Amino acid sequence: MRRPFALLAGALLVGVCALPAAADDGGGGFTIKDPRITESSGLAASRLHPGIYWTHNDSDDGPYLYAVDSSTGKTVARVTLSGVGRPRDVEAISIGPGNEIYVGDIGDNLGGKWPYVWIYRLPEPKKLVDQTIRATQYVVKYADGPRNAESLVVDPKTGRTYIIDKNEDGGHLYEGPAELSSSGANIFRPVAAVDLWATDAAISPDDRRLVVRGYFGGITYTWNGGKIKREGRLNVPLQQQGESVTYSTDGGRLLFGSEGSDSPVQVEDAPGAKGGDAKSPSSGGGSASSDSGGGTTAGNLKVGALAVAAAAAVIFGFRRLLRRN
């Protein structure tokens, strides 16, 4: 993945703002403690094993998935994928119907060098022990040419797969075939604009909403079988390098992950849940946490969000200036 500006923004957040991380709601936040997980780039809540979240590193690791216990932050199983070769840039994970795990090897740091990317599918293991599971590998191509992406979602009712590309000026939701084929390429076609530099996304368990996160904020959409319609802004906690999001299995909470060693997974109420309604585009909502965490902290977080947003604007403005020159 492309890091320099995201990491600089993270440094501004930690070093300049010097604010505490957004507090979780006491109902699921945790820290990933496995020293092997230093670039957690995707997150998916297990339905078979309550309290377990699947994650993975995004590169330079291998065909591995990690089952992390949210009550301790410790890895309880590592799954090795066989039959897929060596992954290039694994950026997303999602669980579809029948407890099938979908892994998106869809990153492209060079923004279109690779003519195709891959999706891997495997059954979620019934026992949480270190093991090797054979996965099915699918070749993915985009109808309008190669691109970088970090977001993969699977419709919980139909099993259809979707990808959102990562574009600084906003990307698109790409729809895959009704059924993926392991022979030949699966063509993903753009079906809707997504107004965000997306680093991950998730569909609610009730199949009603799509949430998309970026480094500095997020957006919630009505899902409607992929015919998305923007609802408003999404509360996203301030993180060093925000890379992942998933719904809790009951749909009441969103869990947000970040890269780095001992990375925190933080919790917000999901849109539509109590206290979790998305901000309308015309309201003052942004990427900071809601005010539920207490007056002083919430106020500091709002100030911090403004500081980070201002710093980001300077960074991206300077970048555009360099491009023009």
mmCIF file of all heavy atoms in Angstrom, residues 197-236:
data_model
loop_
_atom_site.group_PDB
_atom_site.id
_atom_site.type_symbol
_atom_site.label_atom_id
_atom_site.label_comp_id
_atom_site.label_asym_id
_atom_site.label_seq_id
_atom_site.Cartn_x
_atom_site.Cartn_y
_atom_site.Cartn_z
ATOM 1 N N TRP A 197 -11.364 8.285 -0.205
ATOM 2 C CA TRP A 197 -10.098 7.570 -0.413
ATOM 3 C C TRP A 197 -10.168 6.338 0.484
ATOM 4 O O TRP A 197 -9.722 6.343 1.611
ATOM 5 C CB TRP A 197 -8.939 8.489 -0.036
ATOM 6 C CG TRP A 197 -7.594 8.037 -0.491
ATOM 7 C CD1 TRP A 197 -7.288 7.068 -1.379
ATOM 8 C CD2 TRP A 197 -6.334 8.583 -0.060
ATOM 9 N NE1 TRP A 197 -5.936 6.954 -1.537
ATOM 10 C CE2 TRP A 197 -5.327 7.881 -0.751
ATOM 11 C CE3 TRP A 197 -5.982 9.591 0.830
ATOM 12 C CZ2 TRP A 197 -3.960 8.155 -0.553
ATOM 13 C CZ3 TRP A 197 -4.642 9.870 1.022
ATOM 14 C CH2 TRP A 197 -3.637 9.152 0.337
ATOM 15 N N ALA A 198 -10.749 5.275 -0.010
ATOM 16 C CA ALA A 198 -11.207 4.161 0.821
ATOM 17 C C ALA A 198 -10.081 3.212 1.206
ATOM 18 O O ALA A 198 -9.317 2.756 0.351
ATOM 19 C CB ALA A 198 -12.299 3.390 0.098
ATOM 20 N N THR A 199 -10.018 2.871 2.504
ATOM 21 C CA THR A 199 -9.073 1.859 2.977
ATOM 22 C C THR A 199 -9.760 0.575 3.422
ATOM 23 O O THR A 199 -9.087 -0.441 3.592
ATOM 24 C CB THR A 199 -8.223 2.401 4.144
ATOM 25 O OG1 THR A 199 -9.071 2.736 5.254
ATOM 26 C CG2 THR A 199 -7.437 3.633 3.727
ATOM 27 N N ASP A 200 -11.082 0.601 3.619
ATOM 28 C CA ASP A 200 -11.822 -0.633 3.900
ATOM 29 C C ASP A 200 -13.312 -0.328 3.911
ATOM 30 O O ASP A 200 -13.726 0.842 3.925
ATOM 31 C CB ASP A 200 -11.407 -1.254 5.243
ATOM 32 C CG ASP A 200 -11.734 -2.742 5.321
ATOM 33 O OD1 ASP A 200 -12.053 -3.342 4.264
ATOM 34 O OD2 ASP A 200 -11.669 -3.323 6.424
ATOM 35 N N ALA A 201 -14.110 -1.382 3.914
ATOM 36 C CA ALA A 201 -15.563 -1.237 3.895
ATOM 37 C C ALA A 201 -16.194 -2.482 4.505
ATOM 38 O O ALA A 201 -15.537 -3.525 4.659
ATOM 39 C CB ALA A 201 -16.063 -1.036 2.459
ATOM 40 N N ALA A 202 -17.469 -2.367 4.852
ATOM 41 C CA ALA A 202 -18.197 -3.507 5.413
ATOM 42 C C ALA A 202 -19.684 -3.329 5.150
ATOM 43 O O ALA A 202 -20.194 -2.206 5.137
ATOM 44 C CB ALA A 202 -17.939 -3.632 6.914
ATOM 45 N N ILE A 203 -20.388 -4.442 4.941
ATOM 46 C CA ILE A 203 -21.846 -4.455 4.790
ATOM 47 C C ILE A 203 -22.445 -4.937 6.104
ATOM 48 O O ILE A 203 -21.946 -5.884 6.722
ATOM 49 C CB ILE A 203 -22.292 -5.372 3.634
ATOM 50 C CG1 ILE A 203 -21.689 -4.894 2.311
ATOM 51 C CG2 ILE A 203 -23.813 -5.405 3.530
ATOM 52 C CD1 ILE A 203 -21.994 -5.812 1.139
ATOM 53 N N SER A 204 -23.519 -4.293 6.543
ATOM 54 C CA SER A 204 -24.149 -4.671 7.806
ATOM 55 C C SER A 204 -24.743 -6.072 7.705
ATOM 56 O O SER A 204 -25.149 -6.516 6.624
ATOM 57 C CB SER A 204 -25.238 -3.666 8.178
ATOM 58 O OG SER A 204 -26.237 -3.619 7.172
ATOM 59 N N PRO A 205 -24.795 -6.799 8.821
ATOM 60 C CA PRO A 205 -25.342 -8.164 8.797
ATOM 61 C C PRO A 205 -26.771 -8.249 8.272
ATOM 62 O O PRO A 205 -27.158 -9.279 7.726
ATOM 63 C CB PRO A 205 -25.256 -8.595 10.270
ATOM 64 C CG PRO A 205 -24.150 -7.778 10.850
ATOM 65 C CD PRO A 205 -24.233 -6.456 10.146
ATOM 66 N N ASP A 206 -27.556 -7.169 8.443
ATOM 67 C CA ASP A 206 -28.936 -7.194 7.944
ATOM 68 C C ASP A 206 -29.029 -6.790 6.475
ATOM 69 O O ASP A 206 -30.128 -6.657 5.937
ATOM 70 C CB ASP A 206 -29.847 -6.313 8.802
ATOM 71 C CG ASP A 206 -29.460 -4.839 8.775
ATOM 72 O OD1 ASP A 206 -28.568 -4.459 7.976
ATOM 73 O OD2 ASP A 206 -30.037 -4.054 9.552
ATOM 74 N N ASP A 207 -27.880 -6.570 5.828
ATOM 75 C CA ASP A 207 -27.821 -6.285 4.396
ATOM 76 C C ASP A 207 -28.425 -4.929 4.034
ATOM 77 O O ASP A 207 -28.836 -4.713 2.901
ATOM 78 C CB ASP A 207 -28.538 -7.390 3.609
ATOM 79 C CG ASP A 207 -28.030 -7.514 2.162
ATOM 80 O OD1 ASP A 207 -26.818 -7.369 1.953
ATOM 81 O OD2 ASP A 207 -28.849 -7.736 1.262
ATOM 82 N N ARG A 208 -28.447 -3.998 4.997
ATOM 83 C CA ARG A 208 -29.095 -2.710 4.749
ATOM 84 C C ARG A 208 -28.107 -1.584 4.475
ATOM 85 O O ARG A 208 -28.447 -0.625 3.795
ATOM 86 C CB ARG A 208 -29.975 -2.329 5.945
ATOM 87 C CG ARG A 208 -31.169 -3.240 6.151
ATOM 88 C CD ARG A 208 -31.973 -2.814 7.360
ATOM 89 N NE ARG A 208 -32.452 -1.434 7.233
ATOM 90 C CZ ARG A 208 -32.996 -0.747 8.234
ATOM 91 N NH1 ARG A 208 -33.126 -1.303 9.422
ATOM 92 N NH2 ARG A 208 -33.415 0.492 8.031
ATOM 93 N N ARG A 209 -26.893 -1.660 5.021
ATOM 94 C CA ARG A 209 -25.968 -0.541 4.918
ATOM 95 C C ARG A 209 -24.586 -0.990 4.480
ATOM 96 O O ARG A 209 -24.145 -2.108 4.773
ATOM 97 C CB ARG A 209 -25.829 0.185 6.263
ATOM 98 C CG ARG A 209 -26.990 1.084 6.622
ATOM 99 C CD ARG A 209 -26.694 1.868 7.895
ATOM 100 N NE ARG A 209 -27.747 2.846 8.172
ATOM 101 C CZ ARG A 209 -28.831 2.584 8.881
ATOM 102 N NH1 ARG A 209 -29.010 1.377 9.385
ATOM 103 N NH2 ARG A 209 -29.731 3.528 9.088
ATOM 104 N N LEU A 210 -23.911 -0.066 3.810
ATOM 105 C CA LEU A 210 -22.498 -0.185 3.495
ATOM 106 C C LEU A 210 -21.778 0.947 4.209
ATOM 107 O O LEU A 210 -22.174 2.111 4.089
ATOM 108 C CB LEU A 210 -22.269 -0.076 1.983
ATOM 109 C CG LEU A 210 -20.801 0.058 1.533
ATOM 110 C CD1 LEU A 210 -20.074 -1.280 1.667
ATOM 111 C CD2 LEU A 210 -20.720 0.567 0.091
ATOM 112 N N VAL A 211 -20.733 0.609 4.964
ATOM 113 C CA VAL A 211 -19.894 1.653 5.558
ATOM 114 C C VAL A 211 -18.525 1.586 4.892
ATOM 115 O O VAL A 211 -17.996 0.512 4.632
ATOM 116 C CB VAL A 211 -19.760 1.499 7.090
ATOM 117 C CG1 VAL A 211 -21.104 1.700 7.767
ATOM 118 C CG2 VAL A 211 -19.156 0.153 7.479
ATOM 119 N N VAL A 212 -17.975 2.762 4.594
ATOM 120 C CA VAL A 212 -16.668 2.871 3.955
ATOM 121 C C VAL A 212 -15.809 3.788 4.809
ATOM 122 O O VAL A 212 -16.247 4.878 5.183
ATOM 123 C CB VAL A 212 -16.786 3.444 2.525
ATOM 124 C CG1 VAL A 212 -15.429 3.410 1.834
ATOM 125 C CG2 VAL A 212 -17.820 2.673 1.708
ATOM 126 N N ARG A 213 -14.604 3.346 5.129
ATOM 127 C CA ARG A 213 -13.709 4.167 5.927
ATOM 128 C C ARG A 213 -12.494 4.586 5.122
ATOM 129 O O ARG A 213 -12.100 3.937 4.150
ATOM 130 C CB ARG A 213 -13.249 3.435 7.183
ATOM 131 C CG ARG A 213 -12.189 2.354 6.949
ATOM 132 C CD ARG A 213 -11.397 2.050 8.214
ATOM 133 N NE ARG A 213 -10.718 3.248 8.700
ATOM 134 C CZ ARG A 213 -10.100 3.326 9.879
ATOM 135 N NH1 ARG A 213 -10.083 2.281 10.680
ATOM 136 N NH2 ARG A 213 -9.495 4.434 10.240
ATOM 137 N N GLY A 214 -11.908 5.699 5.545
ATOM 138 C CA GLY A 214 -10.640 6.155 5.008
ATOM 139 C C GLY A 214 -9.715 6.489 6.157
ATOM 140 O O GLY A 214 -9.966 6.129 7.309
ATOM 141 N N TYR A 215 -8.645 7.208 5.863
ATOM 142 C CA TYR A 215 -7.711 7.584 6.919
ATOM 143 C C TYR A 215 -8.300 8.622 7.865
ATOM 144 O O TYR A 215 -8.023 8.608 9.062
ATOM 145 C CB TYR A 215 -6.421 8.142 6.303
ATOM 146 C CG TYR A 215 -5.614 7.122 5.539
ATOM 147 C CD1 TYR A 215 -5.302 7.333 4.203
ATOM 148 C CD2 TYR A 215 -5.169 5.953 6.139
ATOM 149 C CE1 TYR A 215 -4.558 6.408 3.488
ATOM 150 C CE2 TYR A 215 -4.439 5.016 5.441
ATOM 151 C CZ TYR A 215 -4.126 5.254 4.106
ATOM 152 O OH TYR A 215 -3.400 4.331 3.394
ATOM 153 N N PHE A 216 -9.113 9.537 7.348
ATOM 154 C CA PHE A 216 -9.560 10.672 8.136
ATOM 155 C C PHE A 216 -11.071 10.742 8.323
ATOM 156 O O PHE A 216 -11.573 11.712 8.852
ATOM 157 C CB PHE A 216 -9.084 11.980 7.486
ATOM 158 C CG PHE A 216 -7.594 12.033 7.301
ATOM 159 C CD1 PHE A 216 -7.043 11.971 6.027
ATOM 160 C CD2 PHE A 216 -6.750 12.115 8.388
ATOM 161 C CE1 PHE A 216 -5.671 12.012 5.852
ATOM 162 C CE2 PHE A 216 -5.372 12.150 8.231
ATOM 163 C CZ PHE A 216 -4.832 12.107 6.957
ATOM 164 N N GLY A 217 -11.797 9.754 7.900
ATOM 165 C CA GLY A 217 -13.241 9.793 8.069
ATOM 166 C C GLY A 217 -13.901 8.636 7.352
ATOM 167 O O GLY A 217 -13.242 7.685 6.919
ATOM 168 N N GLY A 218 -15.204 8.715 7.226
ATOM 169 C CA GLY A 218 -15.931 7.640 6.565
ATOM 170 C C GLY A 218 -17.279 8.102 6.063
ATOM 171 O O GLY A 218 -17.727 9.215 6.343
ATOM 172 N N ILE A 219 -17.945 7.227 5.309
ATOM 173 C CA ILE A 219 -19.260 7.506 4.747
ATOM 174 C C ILE A 219 -20.122 6.261 4.921
ATOM 175 O O ILE A 219 -19.638 5.133 4.804
ATOM 176 C CB ILE A 219 -19.184 7.869 3.248
ATOM 177 C CG1 ILE A 219 -18.289 9.101 3.036
ATOM 178 C CG2 ILE A 219 -20.568 8.132 2.677
ATOM 179 C CD1 ILE A 219 -18.059 9.431 1.564
ATOM 180 N N THR A 220 -21.395 6.469 5.187
ATOM 181 C CA THR A 220 -22.341 5.362 5.233
ATOM 182 C C THR A 220 -23.331 5.490 4.077
ATOM 183 O O THR A 220 -23.755 6.595 3.726
ATOM 184 C CB THR A 220 -23.086 5.306 6.587
ATOM 185 O OG1 THR A 220 -24.042 4.243 6.562
ATOM 186 C CG2 THR A 220 -23.795 6.606 6.893
ATOM 187 N N TYR A 221 -23.650 4.353 3.468
ATOM 188 C CA TYR A 221 -24.574 4.288 2.339
ATOM 189 C C TYR A 221 -25.666 3.275 2.650
ATOM 190 O O TYR A 221 -25.437 2.295 3.381
ATOM 191 C CB TYR A 221 -23.867 3.810 1.063
ATOM 192 C CG TYR A 221 -22.772 4.716 0.544
ATOM 193 C CD1 TYR A 221 -21.471 4.609 1.023
ATOM 194 C CD2 TYR A 221 -23.029 5.661 -0.453
ATOM 195 C CE1 TYR A 221 -20.450 5.420 0.539
ATOM 196 C CE2 TYR A 221 -22.021 6.473 -0.948
ATOM 197 C CZ TYR A 221 -20.735 6.352 -0.448
ATOM 198 O OH TYR A 221 -19.725 7.159 -0.928
ATOM 199 N N THR A 222 -26.850 3.478 2.075
ATOM 200 C CA THR A 222 -27.800 2.379 2.040
ATOM 201 C C THR A 222 -27.288 1.390 0.997
ATOM 202 O O THR A 222 -26.756 1.783 -0.039
ATOM 203 C CB THR A 222 -29.208 2.865 1.663
ATOM 204 O OG1 THR A 222 -29.159 3.581 0.423
ATOM 205 C CG2 THR A 222 -29.776 3.776 2.742
ATOM 206 N N TRP A 223 -27.438 0.096 1.249
ATOM 207 C CA TRP A 223 -26.833 -0.915 0.385
ATOM 208 C C TRP A 223 -27.721 -1.261 -0.810
ATOM 209 O O TRP A 223 -27.318 -1.136 -1.957
ATOM 210 C CB TRP A 223 -26.501 -2.164 1.193
ATOM 211 C CG TRP A 223 -25.941 -3.283 0.365
ATOM 212 C CD1 TRP A 223 -26.475 -4.526 0.190
ATOM 213 C CD2 TRP A 223 -24.747 -3.247 -0.429
ATOM 214 N NE1 TRP A 223 -25.688 -5.286 -0.645
ATOM 215 C CE2 TRP A 223 -24.621 -4.515 -1.052
ATOM 216 C CE3 TRP A 223 -23.787 -2.286 -0.692
ATOM 217 C CZ2 TRP A 223 -23.570 -4.839 -1.904
ATOM 218 C CZ3 TRP A 223 -22.730 -2.602 -1.540
ATOM 219 C CH2 TRP A 223 -22.637 -3.863 -2.134
ATOM 220 N N ASN A 224 -28.917 -1.754 -0.555
ATOM 221 C CA ASN A 224 -29.903 -2.025 -1.608
ATOM 222 C C ASN A 224 -29.314 -2.892 -2.727
ATOM 223 O O ASN A 224 -29.427 -2.569 -3.915
ATOM 224 C CB ASN A 224 -30.438 -0.702 -2.174
ATOM 225 C CG ASN A 224 -31.668 -0.900 -3.053
ATOM 226 O OD1 ASN A 224 -32.424 -1.853 -2.860
ATOM 227 N ND2 ASN A 224 -31.856 -0.020 -4.020
ATOM 228 N N GLY A 225 -28.673 -3.995 -2.325
ATOM 229 C CA GLY A 225 -28.152 -4.933 -3.313
ATOM 230 C C GLY A 225 -27.081 -4.364 -4.219
ATOM 231 O O GLY A 225 -26.935 -4.794 -5.365
ATOM 232 N N GLY A 226 -26.324 -3.399 -3.715
ATOM 233 C CA GLY A 226 -25.261 -2.785 -4.513
ATOM 234 C C GLY A 226 -25.660 -1.485 -5.181
ATOM 235 O O GLY A 226 -24.801 -0.781 -5.733
ATOM 236 N N LYS A 227 -26.942 -1.130 -5.121
ATOM 237 C CA LYS A 227 -27.400 0.153 -5.668
ATOM 238 C C LYS A 227 -27.333 1.187 -4.549
ATOM 239 O O LYS A 227 -28.340 1.611 -3.979
ATOM 240 C CB LYS A 227 -28.816 0.024 -6.230
ATOM 241 C CG LYS A 227 -28.931 -0.954 -7.385
ATOM 242 C CD LYS A 227 -30.372 -1.091 -7.843
ATOM 243 C CE LYS A 227 -30.496 -2.017 -9.045
ATOM 244 N NZ LYS A 227 -30.099 -3.403 -8.743
ATOM 245 N N ILE A 228 -26.129 1.594 -4.232
ATOM 246 C CA ILE A 228 -25.893 2.368 -3.025
ATOM 247 C C ILE A 228 -26.393 3.807 -3.148
ATOM 248 O O ILE A 228 -26.424 4.385 -4.231
ATOM 249 C CB ILE A 228 -24.395 2.353 -2.637
ATOM 250 C CG1 ILE A 228 -23.528 2.999 -3.721
ATOM 251 C CG2 ILE A 228 -23.944 0.936 -2.348
ATOM 252 C CD1 ILE A 228 -22.060 3.138 -3.321
ATOM 253 N N LYS A 229 -26.773 4.350 -1.986
ATOM 254 C CA LYS A 229 -27.173 5.749 -1.898
ATOM 255 C C LYS A 229 -26.572 6.328 -0.623
ATOM 256 O O LYS A 229 -26.712 5.753 0.463
ATOM 257 C CB LYS A 229 -28.701 5.875 -1.865
ATOM 258 C CG LYS A 229 -29.180 7.313 -1.799
ATOM 259 C CD LYS A 229 -30.706 7.395 -1.800
ATOM 260 C CE LYS A 229 -31.176 8.840 -1.734
ATOM 261 N NZ LYS A 229 -32.673 8.926 -1.714
ATOM 262 N N ARG A 230 -25.917 7.455 -0.767
ATOM 263 C CA ARG A 230 -25.216 8.046 0.372
ATOM 264 C C ARG A 230 -26.203 8.479 1.461
ATOM 265 O O ARG A 230 -27.207 9.139 1.189
ATOM 266 C CB ARG A 230 -24.381 9.240 -0.089
ATOM 267 C CG ARG A 230 -23.643 9.935 1.047
ATOM 268 C CD ARG A 230 -22.633 10.923 0.531
ATOM 269 N NE ARG A 230 -22.025 11.671 1.625
ATOM 270 C CZ ARG A 230 -20.812 12.179 1.601
ATOM 271 N NH1 ARG A 230 -20.071 12.036 0.517
ATOM 272 N NH2 ARG A 230 -20.334 12.848 2.622
ATOM 273 N N GLU A 231 -25.881 8.096 2.714
ATOM 274 C CA GLU A 231 -26.670 8.530 3.873
ATOM 275 C C GLU A 231 -26.007 9.711 4.575
ATOM 276 O O GLU A 231 -26.661 10.687 4.908
ATOM 277 C CB GLU A 231 -26.817 7.388 4.877
ATOM 278 C CG GLU A 231 -27.842 6.356 4.527
ATOM 279 C CD GLU A 231 -28.091 5.403 5.678
ATOM 280 O OE1 GLU A 231 -27.145 5.087 6.438
ATOM 281 O OE2 GLU A 231 -29.244 4.971 5.838
ATOM 282 N N GLY A 232 -24.723 9.614 4.833
ATOM 283 C CA GLY A 232 -24.052 10.684 5.558
ATOM 284 C C GLY A 232 -22.652 10.286 5.975
ATOM 285 O O GLY A 232 -22.113 9.273 5.540
ATOM 286 N N ARG A 233 -22.094 11.118 6.834
ATOM 287 C CA ARG A 233 -20.736 10.866 7.317
ATOM 288 C C ARG A 233 -20.741 9.830 8.421
ATOM 289 O O ARG A 233 -21.728 9.671 9.146
ATOM 290 C CB ARG A 233 -20.113 12.168 7.816
ATOM 291 C CG ARG A 233 -19.997 13.235 6.738
ATOM 292 C CD ARG A 233 -19.339 14.475 7.292
ATOM 293 N NE ARG A 233 -19.383 15.565 6.317
ATOM 294 C CZ ARG A 233 -18.890 16.777 6.545
ATOM 295 N NH1 ARG A 233 -18.337 17.050 7.709
ATOM 296 N NH2 ARG A 233 -18.957 17.708 5.616
ATOM 297 N N LEU A 234 -19.611 9.169 8.562
ATOM 298 C CA LEU A 234 -19.480 8.082 9.528
ATOM 299 C C LEU A 234 -18.464 8.467 10.595
ATOM 300 O O LEU A 234 -17.386 8.975 10.281
ATOM 301 C CB LEU A 234 -19.010 6.811 8.807
ATOM 302 C CG LEU A 234 -18.773 5.561 9.648
ATOM 303 C CD1 LEU A 234 -20.105 5.017 10.157
ATOM 304 C CD2 LEU A 234 -18.044 4.500 8.823
ATOM 305 N N ASN A 235 -18.815 8.231 11.859
ATOM 306 C CA ASN A 235 -17.866 8.454 12.938
ATOM 307 C C ASN A 235 -16.738 7.430 12.855
ATOM 308 O O ASN A 235 -16.975 6.224 12.937
ATOM 309 C CB ASN A 235 -18.559 8.334 14.299
ATOM 310 C CG ASN A 235 -19.428 9.529 14.621
ATOM 311 O OD1 ASN A 235 -19.200 10.628 14.120
ATOM 312 N ND2 ASN A 235 -20.434 9.325 15.455
ATOM 313 N N VAL A 236 -15.520 7.916 12.699
ATOM 314 C CA VAL A 236 -14.339 7.054 12.624
ATOM 315 C C VAL A 236 -13.326 7.544 13.655
ATOM 316 O O VAL A 236 -13.005 8.731 13.684
ATOM 317 C CB VAL A 236 -13.706 7.089 11.215
ATOM 318 C CG1 VAL A 236 -12.417 6.288 11.170
ATOM 319 C CG2 VAL A 236 -14.682 6.542 10.184
#
